[in-house]
Amino acid sequence: MAWLVVRLAISVSLLYAASAVFEDQVGKFDWRQQFIGKVRFALFDTHSQASKKLLVATDKNVFASLNSRTGDLFWRHVDKTGPEGHIDALLMYGQDAVVVVGNGRLLRSWETTVGGLKWETVLDTGSFQAAALVGVQDLVKYVAVLKKSAISLHDLSSGSQIWGENLPDSDSVQYQTIYSGENGLVFVLGIVPNSHIVIVEYKIEDGEIMNKKSVEAAWMSSLESSCAVVSSGILLCVDQITQSLYTLPLQSAEQTEMRQIHLQMLDLEVASGFRPVLTSTQPNPAQPPLSEFFLQLSPDHHILLQFKDGLIALLRDFSPSYLAAFATSGERTVAAVMSPKNDTACSINLFSADTGRKHLDTTIIYHMDPNGGKPNRLYVHAFLKKDDSVGYRVMVQTEDLTLTFLQQPGRVVWMREEALADVVTMEMVDLPFTGTQAELEGEFGKKAAIQDGLLPMVLKRLSSQFILLQAWLAHLWKLFYDARKPRSSVKHEVTIDILSRDEFNLQKMMLMVTASGKLFGIDSKSGTILWKQYLENIQPNSVFKLIVQRTTAHFPHPPQCTLLIKNKDTGLGSLYVFNPIFGKKSQISVPTLPRPVLQTLLLPVIDQDYAKVLLLIDDQYKVTAFPSTKNVLQQLQDTASSIFFYLVDSSQGKLSGFRLRKDLSTELIWEVVIPTEVQKIVAVKGKRANEHVHSQGRVMGDRSVLYKYLNPNLLAVITESTDTHQERSFVGIFLIDGVTGRIVHEAVQRKARGPVHFVHSENWVVYVYWNSKFRRNEFSVLELFEGAELYNSTVFSSLDRPHAPQVLQQSYIFPAPINTLEATLTEKGITSRHLLVGLPSGNILSLPKMFLDPRRPELVSEQSREENLIPYAPEMPIREEWFINYNQTVSRVRGIYTAPSGLESTCLVVAYGLDIYQTRVFPSKQFDVLKDDYDYILISSVLFGLFFATMISKRLAEVKLLNRAWR
Amino acid sequence: MIVNDFVCQSGDAVDTDFSGFSVPLEHSFEVDDVPRFRLRGALQLRGGRENSVYLSQNQLSEKDRSTLKDVAAVDGLYRIRVPRVSLQVDRQTERQSEGYLTTFVRACSLVESHLSDVITLHTDVSGYIIGISIVTIPGSCRGIEVEDEVDLEVFNSTISVVAPVTAPAPETAPYIERMEQEMEKKGKNPQEQKSFFAKYWYLILGGAVFLMATSSAQTPPGGAREQS
């Protein structure tokens, strides 16, 4: 037991040393990537020729400026999540970007070079409809914001409201768009669906209604989606049923109905079932829009049309064409059209907008990623070259949220994988061995080797040793070769082919599953994306579960991961099996899942190919095994009576346990029902399967041992009360054995509310809740002990553990809100544990578990000091040096993933949210690694010095002895 | 934790003017492992501030005993169940129970423990029974043959009701009290008020003496070297 005490003492004493990163360690083993999300608005700064700014506003409520040469962020503003921070509109004029935020709640103007806020105005309540810049005599001075029942005009330089008016008949008319041309008027367009449209003219100076008229339009249901303003104030609408275009001059007083122009007259036809789209362009808000516009007739058919003197002329027919966009540089407006070239590539060409003529030598070839999605947005940045011709670059956004920035003739300038802004789940997989290492492994792995006999075995061993020697020499040569080169030119390009496990297994493959259904394989050391795979037809509300069925340890069998994709509404699932190292889809036949999947279970049972067996339980409690070979089914039959699983139905508050039968059906064996009238189950968590607990007990001050209650089947169930009154609300904690359904412990935290974050590990549960009485966050820790004696020290069985454990609990105040909680994990579980707390500020706090110990004494005694227990203090400290990500904050951190490395001291950590941050933590410091600045020269010179000193002194002693003998 | 234990041998003398109510405790043990629940006994529940429970149960018949032994031989399950009820009598009427709470124990361990089992009923904060658990003492199955039929006649049950414990909140008041006491102690103790020199005079003096001693010792002894 003494060594245990010593180890404990060492780890404790180490713990108190600073755990922060030194300045020279910054970026050495950690990296951060920042993302923005799916782009909704993107505007290029065309204010000056040399500008590199690209302003984007995204669905993640992020407003950012990108460097269009590199794709890096100049600056980024992350607003509140949800509708409160939703960016409704982005307008840009000169150096200013005007943003409407939160369904028309705020109007903000940003300085685009440094991203500073110029002004902010709180708008009147009302749901946002549209916003537009308003110009007077070639100068843009105002911005108009249209709400459901009001319009207001704001000064562009100060944000002050010039005027605000209520809209007439706003309860019956849906006002949807706003238009301002050159003539000092603001037009507000509204619609009474399938009846008529309403046009109200406001005077810019004082908001006086100049004119108001209504025009019959019985076919129209929405202005926004079917109309556009072209030329000098001509409202142009398209209707797919009558297959015609309608025009109406906004200002003319005499024309009281829309003029119909049949598409047939232009020899055009809208594809059946497709809603045609009109795209017009207004290069300068102070001037009327161009008279040219795009009409999209089918998903791959665009037409450039021109409105002139009341007539519509066809300029050019683009068929097939996926995307089309206008861009303006100076006085010249061009249209870029993306058309398919072949199966894997698209070509983008530039056409002059006013004639439809193709610009020569302007083709950009866009190669589509075979593992990616189709392009769905095109943003064009046009600029004038020195010879006055128009050059351009394009940014393409695809379905899988990849932003690709291209320039002629098809060079990819940069790429951003914005799907990573929404990581749902992740895993880390060990990298495979190199070929030579694998060869050596294979020598022992093959069963045939035994039959080979002695001599071939020796030969094989010699040959593999020779290969190793060869590899080592090659490695030395490479080191030597690299050392001669200047440091900057040595580039560490990471590719899949050279990836191999390092000495301490610190470099791993990160598998990330994103909400858009794109999978990524990322090198954990550098953050390089090694492979990506877009899964098409993923419903937006799918839930994912990633399971590692076979690790890289079973050469020559490739590692295998399975992704269960489940539709949240129907519950129907499908499996996607792939190789986590290369991202290749596996050829293994996958079981079809005709019924909704309720639960999955990864068994330690392996098939003959070393893949762990995955059990899927459907809503009729039938079990499907994957893989389901004969071998597996045989093993399942043999072990069926010891395979238990549980189901949770939070809508009925029911937890139920099942046992597998030999025929893969199941039987209900226990049921616990928590009435939903009082409390609702919010979360259930077991322990991590790859967790190791090194010590069975804790040594107390009096040298006795308190044994931990280490039940691997224990479930922590958290409930929240339905009554949310601050005095009566509570959070319930149930510890339930997943095999027998026995309630091991049951506690209520009074005057508490969710959201509850919790970690369940070893013999403890830590949870965080909101104390509604004192209005603060609190931590509580539960630890379970068997007592001074173990019931059965050799094996744990839930079926044979009759005595209930002792439960100790203590609570603490935590002086910060919390986003997520996770515990560190190491290879053998010797290192002390830390809790990783993701804070809303973006910091990740590494909190020693020592501070969350229910045995912290009120009063210090000799024994508690012996045990190194910290005296109880109600408030949990937050120390700046405990932030593992120093200033590399992770915006909206949503999850933290921890994985053990080959070094016992080191735990790999990935925090993901809007950003991704990867680092290593050393909860007990690096006790098994020499420091980076370890003085090898000193220690070796001392060693050599001592060696020679002994040699010399030995010689001298001999001489002296000889002399004495002669005396 | 509110636990009231009552050990009941076999129920013939049940208090009739018991103010609680009674629910059946059913059990099932079948060789084919398809549950068919039969009455094992009656649970007398009494709600209120101190939940209490009494169990009156029947003896196992000859047939049951042999079935139980057969089930134990094939490692079958012994299941029990109670209906979902509230311990609060007034709520009993307003919400009729639907469904049961079930649990199990290995039949062999029940046999080997000579029918000594511990049954625990768990309630939630409002007194509804949410779960039942059964363990036998000892809980292991060693394959010991139980010869004596008498051992399997009568249940030796311990039954209890467990309500959730209230988890502790951060204890600020005792901490502040302790802090204040320490402050007071510091204030009272004159030793703490002493000046730096008053506190550490012996260390300083000792250090000075040591320094002097070492500086005087630096003059080499001389004779030692000449001897070799």
Side-chain angles (χ1 to χ4, degrees):
Chain A
M1 238 0 74
W3 59 271
L4 198 80
V5 180
V6 170
R7 192 188 52 71
L8 207 78
I10 290 171
S11 58
V12 163
S13 60
L14 284 170
L15 199 138
Y16 275 112
S19 55
V21 178
F22 291 103
E23 194 178 348
D24 61 330
Q25 286 180 314
V26 163
K28 209 166 175 189
F29 47 75
D30 64 324
W31 51 262
R32 176 179 68 162
Q33 288 176 5
Q34 292 187 305
F35 298 96
I36 49 176
K38 181 186 180 179
V39 172
R40 291 181 58 234
F41 306 102
L43 295 172
F44 288 94
D45 183 9
T46 50
H47 185 242
S48 73
Q49 274 311 328
S51 175
K52 294 183 283 189
K53 282 190 297 267
L54 163 60
L55 292 181
V56 286
T58 70
D59 68 337
K60 295 257 171 265
N61 303 350
V62 172
F63 178 48
S65 171
L66 298 177
N67 184 338
S68 65
R69 306 282 154 82
T70 62
D72 297 334
L73 287 170
F74 277 129
W75 46 261
R76 183 180 75 167
H77 293 290
V78 182
D79 213 322
K80 287 174 190 155
T81 48
E84 227 180 321
H86 183 257
I87 296 172
D88 302 315
L90 169 65
L91 307 164
M92 187 152 113
Y93 185 73
Q95 288 288 314
D96 300 339
V98 178
V99 175
V100 184
V101 180
N103 198 11
R105 192 171 52 89
L106 292 168
L107 183 68
R108 286 181 183 146
S109 173
W110 298 91
E111 210 282 326
T112 54
T113 2
V114 293
L117 183 67
K118 284 181 90 173
W119 50 258
E120 180 183 85
T121 313
V122 180
L123 298 174
D124 295 334
T125 52
S127 71
F128 174 82
Q129 295 297 328
L133 293 169
V134 176
V136 186
Q137 284 149 5
D138 279 3
L139 273 175
V140 178
K141 279 187 175 165
Y142 309 112
V143 56
V145 180
L146 179 69
K147 295 282 193 89
K148 197 173 174 355
S149 59
I151 177 174
S152 58
L153 197 74
H154 299 263
D155 189 81
L156 199 57
S157 57
S158 69
S160 57
Q161 185 174 326
I162 309 291
W163 51 262
E165 294 290 331
N166 282 331
L167 295 164
D169 311 323
S170 59
D171 43 353
S172 60
V173 183
Q174 299 172 13
Y175 290 96
Q176 287 178 339
T177 48
I178 199 164
Y179 163 73
S180 135
E182 80 275 50
N183 42 18
L185 291 170
V186 177
F187 294 90
V188 174
L189 310 179
I191 183 173
V192 177
N194 303 318
S195 167
H196 60 275
I197 50 178
V198 177
I199 301 163
V200 189
E201 291 173 29
Y202 286 93
K203 209 163 137 191
I204 287 180
E205 284 79 29
D206 51 7
E208 186 190 337
I209 294 183
M210 301 300 287
N211 194 5
K212 177 176 178 281
K213 64 179 175 185
S214 62
V215 180
E216 285 295 315
W219 50 270
M220 201 192 288
S221 57
S222 168
L223 263 171
E224 254 176 328
S225 57
S226 53
C227 294
V229 178
V230 296
S231 197
S232 42
I234 309 294
L235 181 70
L236 187 75
C237 299
V238 64
D239 177 35
Q240 81 233 51
I241 294 159
T242 54
Q243 297 265 346
S244 43
L245 289 166
Y246 293 85
T247 62
L248 174 78
L250 288 174
Q251 223 176 340
S252 85
E254 57 268 20
Q255 195 175 339
T256 52
E257 64 179 46
M258 301 187 89
R259 210 155 62 81
Q260 188 178 15
I261 301 167
H262 281 281
L263 284 172
Q264 232 170 352
M265 284 166 66
L266 300 161
D267 281 338
L268 300 173
E269 200 183 348
V270 178
S272 65
F274 183 77
R275 204 185 166 94
V277 181
L278 283 167
T279 316
S280 67
T281 179
Q282 189 175 9
N284 185 346
Q287 281 167 0
L290 296 187
S291 50
E292 291 80 22
F293 58 93
F294 273 114
L295 174 63
Q296 187 180 7
L297 294 171
S298 75
D300 55 355
H301 191 191
H302 291 77
I303 290 155
L304 184 64
L305 298 167
Q306 187 180 41
F307 181 86
K308 209 171 188 180
D309 308 328
L311 290 171
I312 287 172
L314 192 144
L315 290 180
R316 198 168 180 124
D317 190 336
F318 301 101
S319 182
S321 59
Y322 290 147
L323 300 164
F326 285 110
T328 304
S329 176
E331 292 298 302
R332 296 170 65 174
T333 301
V334 288
V337 178
M338 179 190 269
S339 339
K341 192 161 179 269
N342 52 37
D343 287 347
T344 59
C346 289
S347 65
I348 304 164
N349 282 296
L350 211 59
F351 300 86
S352 73
D354 46 358
T355 58
R357 202 171 296 135
K358 185 174 176 177
H359 285 226
L360 290 174
D361 301 327
T362 54
T363 309
I364 290 178
I365 306 292
Y366 170 71
H367 291 280
M368 287 191 285
D369 185 356
N371 302 328
K374 291 195 180 70
N376 63 1
R377 292 290 283 275
L378 182 68
Y379 302 97
V380 184
H381 179 213
F383 54 89
L384 287 174
K385 289 184 189 165
K386 285 202 181 91
D387 58 353
D388 211 34
S389 64
V390 181
Y392 74 119
R393 299 186 188 97
V394 291
M395 185 171 80
V396 182
Q397 176 168 286
T398 54
E399 287 169 339
D400 55 331
L401 310 186
T402 308
L403 290 178
T404 316
F405 197 77
L406 299 137
Q407 70 178 34
Q408 280 176 292
R411 192 173 77 86
V412 176
V413 184
W414 50 262
M415 242 174 146
R416 289 182 71 89
E417 290 292 351
E418 290 306 331
L420 285 172
D422 205 346
V423 175
V424 184
T425 176
M426 69 166 291
E427 281 289 340
M428 268 186 167
V429 180
D430 294 348
L431 288 172
F433 291 113
T434 54
T436 48
Q437 282 169 318
E439 179 75 24
L440 203 64
E441 287 278 311
E443 186 196 338
F444 302 111
K446 278 168 203 147
K447 283 171 193 155
I450 305 153
Q451 290 137 25
D452 277 358
L454 194 67
L455 194 67
M457 286 270 282
V458 171
L459 285 179
K460 206 181 259 176
R461 163 36 70 99
L462 283 178
S463 74
S464 56
Q465 293 285 8
F466 180 71
I467 291 168
L468 273 185
L469 184 72
Q470 221 175 1
W472 186 65
L473 286 176
H475 175 72
L476 277 189
W477 172 246
K478 195 170 174 291
L479 273 183
F480 175 69
Y481 195 73
D482 281 350
R484 289 195 314 170
K485 278 199 255 177
R487 200 153 237 238
S488 55
S489 72
V490 183
K491 265 199 177 167
H492 293 284
E493 284 268 312
V494 186
T495 55
I496 271 183
D497 308 318
I498 60 154
L499 265 190
S500 67
R501 197 181 298 185
D502 59 334
E503 231 174 319
F504 297 127
N505 201 4
L506 290 166
Q507 187 176 10
K508 293 202 179 194
M509 178 67 88
M510 287 162 56
L511 302 179
M512 295 198 134
V513 183
T514 63
S516 61
K518 197 168 185 181
L519 309 181
F520 290 89
I522 300 173
D523 167 36
S524 76
K525 198 175 182 184
S526 60
T528 320
I529 295 170
L530 295 170
W531 59 261
K532 48 200 172 190
Q533 177 72 48
Y534 177 58
L535 307 178
E536 276 170 72
N537 308 321
I538 298 284
Q539 301 297 316
N541 58 352
S542 297
V543 279
F544 300 91
K545 184 161 184 182
L546 188 59
I547 301 136
V548 182
Q549 277 195 293
R550 183 166 55 219
T551 61
T552 32
H554 303 286
F555 187 83
H557 298 288
Q560 181 182 323
C561 278
T562 302
L563 181 69
L564 173 69
I565 307 149
K566 187 176 154 186
N567 189 313
K568 218 173 191 172
D569 296 334
T570 60
L572 289 174
S574 60
L575 293 175
Y576 177 80
V577 186
F578 63 100
N579 178 332
I581 303 300
F582 299 102
K584 298 253 163 50
K585 188 175 177 180
S586 173
Q587 300 302 319
I588 295 171
S589 65
V590 171
T592 51
L593 306 168
R595 304 211 58 86
V597 178
L598 294 183
Q599 174 75 290
T600 59
L601 192 65
L602 189 68
L603 296 180
V605 175
I606 53 170
D607 72 347
Q608 69 271 37
D609 293 338
Y610 304 100
K612 281 185 186 165
V613 176
L614 180 70
L615 294 187
L616 301 143
I617 295 103
D618 66 23
D619 64 344
Q620 290 183 333
Y621 312 117
K622 288 271 186 305
V623 173
T624 313
F626 170 69
S628 57
T629 55
K630 221 174 180 181
N631 176 306
V632 170
L633 294 177
Q634 184 60 45
Q635 287 190 59
L636 282 180
Q637 273 195 13
D638 296 345
T639 53
S641 62
S642 60
I643 296 173
F644 299 85
F645 60 91
Y646 68 94
L647 296 175
V648 183
D649 182 355
S650 67
S651 64
Q652 290 175 34
K654 194 152 108 186
L655 293 126
S656 38
F658 293 82
R659 184 163 84 155
L660 196 67
R661 284 208 190 122
K662 288 200 190 316
D663 57 345
L664 291 192
S665 64
T666 57
E667 55 178 334
L668 179 78
I669 49 172
W670 59 265
E671 248 181 319
V672 167
V673 186
I674 300 168
T676 48
E677 292 85 16
V678 185
Q679 52 196 333
K680 201 171 175 332
I681 300 172
V682 288
V684 178
K685 246 188 220 174
K687 289 178 190 171
R688 284 178 69 164
N690 57 347
E691 180 183 272
H692 293 271
V693 181
H694 184 260
S695 56
Q696 289 273 310
R698 284 188 58 165
V699 182
M700 317 264 282
D702 58 1
R703 296 290 187 274
S704 65
V705 176
L706 189 60
Y707 285 100
K708 295 174 182 172
Y709 179 75
L710 297 167
N711 183 349
N713 309 315
L714 198 66
L715 304 173
V717 180
I718 300 284
T719 62
E720 277 179 39
S721 63
T722 47
D723 191 345
T724 53
H725 185 271
Q726 60 154 359
E727 286 291 323
R728 291 189 298 271
S729 67
F730 65 88
V731 166
I733 307 99
F734 298 85
L735 300 178
I736 298 177
D737 189 298
V739 171
T740 62
R742 183 178 176 196
I743 299 177
V744 170
H745 184 66
E746 188 186 354
V748 276
Q749 193 83 46
R750 305 261 175 202
K751 289 162 191 154
R753 218 162 11 124
V756 181
H757 302 279
F758 67 112
V759 178
H760 182 196
S761 178
E762 273 186 58
N763 63 329
W764 48 264
V765 180
V766 170
Y767 60 91
V768 188
Y769 57 91
W770 171 255
N771 186 325
S772 51
K773 190 184 174 200
F774 293 107
R775 295 168 186 278
R776 64 191 181 197
N777 285 289
E778 288 177 4
F779 259 111
S780 195
V781 58
L782 276 160
E783 281 197 21
L784 290 92
F785 293 98
E786 290 220 353
E789 268 176 53
L790 271 181
Y791 177 77
N792 179 351
S793 58
T794 48
V795 68
F796 188 97
S797 167
S798 284
L799 297 170
D800 179 16
R801 198 69 28 162
H803 304 294
Q806 300 169 12
V807 182
L808 301 176
Q809 187 166 14
Q810 217 169 49
S811 300
Y812 316 89
I813 302 162
F814 190 70
I818 274 185
N819 267 12
T820 183
L821 198 67
E822 188 55 76
T824 60
L825 194 68
T826 52
E827 182 85 6
K828 297 268 179 274
I830 297 169
T831 309
S832 59
R833 309 289 295 268
H834 276 203
L835 285 172
L836 299 170
V837 188
L839 305 176
S841 62
N843 286 309
I844 295 156
L845 181 79
S846 181
L847 187 69
K849 169 71 180 52
M850 264 190 103
F851 282 90
L852 290 156
D853 185 343
R855 303 188 55 250
R856 283 176 68 174
E858 282 278 318
L859 290 167
V860 189
S861 67
E862 197 56 47
Q863 291 202 350
S864 73
R865 209 171 289 149
E866 184 90 357
E867 242 186 290
N868 267 318
L869 291 174
I870 308 164
Y872 180 78
E875 187 164 340
M876 193 68 68
I878 294 184
R879 297 197 191 139
E880 303 279 298
E881 69 263 26
W882 286 350
F883 291 148
I884 56 168
N885 56 343
Y886 47 105
N887 64 355
Q888 305 281 299
T889 53
V890 186
S891 282
R892 295 196 193 135
V893 54
R894 214 177 31 246
I896 296 174
Y897 179 86
T898 52
S901 73
L903 282 175
E904 172 54 33
S905 66
T906 309
C907 169
L908 304 175
V909 176
V910 181
Y912 54 88
L914 188 60
D915 304 337
I916 296 173
Y917 180 74
Q918 190 276 142
T919 191
R920 299 172 194 164
V921 289
F922 319 101
S924 298
K925 290 202 80 189
Q926 286 180 282
F927 59 80
D928 50 2
V929 180
L930 291 180
K931 274 192 195 128
D932 288 338
D933 53 355
Y934 186 77
D935 205 339
Y936 293 95
I937 296 166
L938 183 76
I939 191 97
S940 47
S941 59
V942 165
L943 267 177
F944 278 113
L946 282 173
F947 177 71
F948 285 118
T950 44
M951 295 294 277
I952 291 162
S953 56
K954 196 181 169 192
R955 175 80 192 132
L956 288 176
E958 276 171 9
V959 169
K960 196 178 149 192
L961 271 176
L962 194 66
N963 287 344
R964 192 174 284 172
W966 277 108
R967 201 177 284 167
Chain B
M1 198 181 290
I2 305 151
V3 181
N4 287 305
D5 291 348
F6 188 80
V7 181
C8 189
Q9 291 295 324
S10 79
D12 44 342
V14 177
D15 216 345
T16 41
D17 58 307
F18 193 76
S19 65
F21 56 95
S22 153
V23 289
L25 172 71
E26 293 169 300
H27 63 175
S28 153
F29 42 96
E30 302 292 335
V31 181
D32 59 355
D33 226 8
V34 178
R36 278 180 288 273
F37 284 97
R38 297 180 299 269
L39 194 71
R40 168 172 159 179
L43 287 168
Q44 295 288 338
L45 297 163
R46 185 161 59 183
R49 190 165 291 275
E50 291 198 348
N51 297 324
S52 56
V53 62
Y54 301 89
L55 175 64
S56 57
Q57 48 193 352
N58 314 323
Q59 286 189 355
L60 279 186
S61 66
E62 184 97 16
K63 195 178 145 224
D64 283 347
R65 288 198 297 258
S66 67
T67 320
L68 188 61
K69 281 181 87 172
D70 291 346
V71 174
V74 297
D75 196 14
L77 302 183
Y78 172 82
R79 302 157 194 260
I80 55 167
R81 73 173 186 190
V82 287
R84 291 176 55 197
V85 288
S86 169
L87 291 185
Q88 257 54 31
V89 185
D90 47 330
R91 295 214 190 147
Q92 190 57 37
T93 46
E94 75 190 47
R95 186 175 161 281
Q96 264 309 313
S97 61
E98 77 276 348
Y100 290 88
L101 302 165
T102 50
T103 190
F104 71 97
V105 71
R106 284 203 286 175
C108 56
S109 67
L110 188 71
V111 170
E112 284 179 32
S113 67
H114 304 281
L115 301 189
S116 32
D117 53 355
V118 179
I119 298 171
T120 315
L121 296 169
H122 297 267
T123 68
D124 70 352
V125 274
S126 56
Y128 286 116
I129 297 179
I130 60 165
I132 177 171
S133 72
I134 176 170
V135 289
T136 59
I137 294 177
S140 56
C141 277
R142 293 211 178 80
I144 305 160
E145 199 65 22
V146 178
E147 288 296 331
D148 200 355
E149 287 281 311
V150 185
D151 284 344
L152 297 179
E153 223 163 71
V154 178
F155 281 102
N156 174 19
S157 305
T158 309
I159 188 155
S160 58
V161 177
V162 176
V165 296
T166 301
E171 291 161 22
T172 38
Y175 179 74
I176 291 167
E177 211 170 276
R178 207 176 74 221
M179 279 301 180
E180 274 170 0
Q181 274 173 6
E182 264 172 41
M183 289 293 278
E184 261 175 45
K185 227 189 245 172
K186 258 186 194 171
K188 273 181 194 165
N189 200 344
Q191 273 222 314
E192 302 292 314
Q193 304 280 317
K194 278 181 184 171
S195 73
F196 180 77
F197 283 103
K199 251 200 257 178
Y200 300 112
W201 64 269
Y202 48 91
L203 279 182
I204 293 163
L205 193 75
V209 167
F210 178 72
L211 271 177
M212 274 162 71
T214 47
S215 61
S216 64
Q218 243 161 42
T219 48
R225 199 169 286 167
E226 286 160 13
Q227 274 178 9
S228 64

